[in-house]
Amino acid sequence: MRVTQSMLSSNMLRNLSNSYGKMSTLQDQINTGKKITRPSQDPVVATKGIGYRTDLNKVEQYQRNLGEVNNWLDSSDDALDHVGEAVKRLQELVTDAANDSKTSDDRKKIQVEITQIRKQIQDLSNTKVGDKYIFSGTNTLTPLHDGNTFTDTSIATGLNKEVKIEVYDGVQINVNTTGIQLFSDIDAMLEKIETSLGNGSAGTVISGYLSDINNMQNNVLEKRADIGARQNRVEMMENRLESQEIIATKRMSENEDIDLEKAITEMITQESIHTAALSVGSKIIQATLVDFIR
């Protein structure tokens, strides 16, 4: 085959163009730190990257969900802690009122404080996270106590239902504590104690409420123990998600990120090749028709 000057020039220009393309690709990789900047450069890398990003986005969403779970559980535990303190104070007051040395006026003064404790517990039953009532079951927009009475379970059927939040694929955690039974029982007990104190009941009658108060304290502790168990589970889920985040980030980096040292070395090598090609090419295209006529 006869090789002409035109063929040499065309091959040289094509090779130089390819060399510029390789240097451009390497330059983009060094600038961005990524193997590709367009999916068309490597569809396999691009497809895997989408998968890894999806996994990472899911982990981040679950971490946000856990933040909401912690908000509910912490708020529930704090509210019940205050209920426990109120019941403890109630126990002290009833013990004091049961003393037969107390006069009717003394017991009425105690009654006034118990009335305030009752109102405080009613307020605690309406504890909210954001705009949601956390002790109202799935009826999160309905207060447990409307200022007069507690909501009737026969009307609001969701009061004893669980509110769940997804914290992992197929894993949900119950974030609420159903409080209608607990708060209504405490309120009914307080109403009876108020009535007894107001009617001037004997000390033996008043002391009879101490066992009921003790039972209520145990009920509050049981609720808090259940919350504590769920908080421990949430902590384990947080650790698991942190591990999954590290794994997903590592895989994504291995798939997309370049080896910077290797890329710089390849860039220097390609520049040397390109410089040599330019030097040789300049000699090839020097000859003109006038040079051949000479």
Side-chain angles (χ1 to χ4, degrees):
M1 182 180 68
R2 178 170 172 268
V3 178
T4 65
Q5 179 72 21
S6 175
M7 294 173 64
L8 290 173
S9 299
S10 297
N11 287 336
M12 183 200 70
L13 292 173
R14 183 173 63 255
N15 291 331
L16 286 176
S17 178
N18 291 336
S19 179
Y20 275 122
K22 291 178 182 178
M23 285 195 296
S24 176
T25 299
L26 289 169
Q27 187 65 52
D28 286 343
Q29 289 179 346
I30 294 171
N31 289 339
T32 63
K34 301 295 181 182
K35 293 178 182 178
I36 62 173
T37 56
R38 300 184 306 276
S40 59
Q41 290 176 308
D42 193 328
V44 175
V45 170
T47 302
K48 287 184 178 180
I50 292 172
Y52 295 142
R53 276 186 171 76
T54 300
D55 292 341
L56 190 59
N57 289 338
K58 287 171 65 176
V59 169
E60 291 173 350
Q61 180 60 57
Y62 290 141
Q63 287 174 329
R64 288 192 290 271
N65 289 356
L66 280 177
E68 183 69 7
V69 172
N70 278 322
N71 198 8
W72 277 69
L73 294 179
D74 291 345
S75 297
S76 299
D77 187 54
D78 180 67
L80 290 178
D81 178 51
H82 284 87
V83 171
E85 290 298 319
V87 174
K88 181 180 178 182
R89 177 58 181 163
L90 173 66
Q91 186 180 45
E92 294 172 355
L93 292 172
V94 170
T95 301
D96 188 30
N99 190 328
D100 285 329
S101 64
K102 294 293 180 181
T103 65
S104 176
D105 288 339
D106 292 335
R107 285 173 177 161
K108 285 183 178 180
K109 291 175 183 177
I110 293 174
Q111 180 192 22
V112 171
E113 184 173 351
I114 290 177
T115 299
Q116 294 304 312
I117 290 175
R118 183 183 179 189
K119 290 180 179 179
Q120 172 67 6
I121 292 177
Q122 289 172 354
D123 291 340
L124 288 169
S125 72
N126 289 336
T127 300
K128 298 171 72 175
V129 169
D131 60 346
K132 297 179 180 179
Y133 295 94
I134 60 178
F135 293 118
S136 296
T138 54
N139 297 350
T140 55
L141 300 180
T142 304
L144 207 59
H145 191 275
D146 63 5
N148 296 308
T149 60
F150 281 94
T151 306
D152 190 344
T153 54
S154 63
I155 298 174
T157 57
L159 289 175
N160 288 313
K161 292 183 179 179
E162 296 179 343
V163 176
K164 295 184 177 182
I165 294 178
E166 188 174 20
V167 296
Y168 203 72
D169 289 337
V171 178
Q172 294 182 330
I173 290 182
N174 173 28
V175 299
N176 72 318
T177 299
T178 53
I180 183 63
Q181 190 67 50
L182 175 68
F183 283 103
S184 59
D185 286 348
I186 292 176
D187 190 72
M189 178 186 67
L190 284 165
E191 184 178 15
K192 290 179 182 178
I193 295 173
E194 281 184 283
T195 302
S196 293
L197 291 172
N199 293 338
S201 298
T204 53
V205 175
I206 296 172
S207 64
Y209 292 112
L210 290 173
S211 61
D212 293 334
I213 294 172
N214 186 60
N215 290 335
M216 291 302 164
Q217 286 179 318
N218 290 333
N219 291 341
V220 172
L221 288 174
E222 286 177 4
K223 293 287 188 181
R224 294 192 68 189
D226 176 62
I227 292 172
R230 281 181 280 156
Q231 287 174 322
N232 290 336
R233 186 183 178 193
V234 168
E235 185 176 349
M236 289 188 287
M237 287 304 306
E238 286 175 338
N239 294 334
R240 182 180 180 185
L241 286 175
E242 286 177 3
S243 298
Q244 290 298 313
E245 182 180 19
I246 293 171
I247 291 171
T249 302
K250 181 181 178 181
R251 286 177 177 173
M252 189 168 66
S253 177
E254 291 173 346
N255 179 63
E256 298 179 359
D257 295 345
I258 63 166
D259 183 338
L260 190 58
E261 291 81 1
K262 181 180 178 181
I264 292 174
T265 300
E266 290 180 355
M267 182 67 178
I268 294 172
T269 301
Q270 189 60 42
E271 285 177 344
S272 299
I273 295 171
H274 186 73
T275 300
L278 285 173
S279 177
V280 173
S282 64
K283 294 178 181 179
I284 292 176
I285 63 175
Q286 280 180 349
T288 65
L289 179 59
V290 175
D291 294 321
F292 285 111
I293 292 175
R294 288 177 185 170

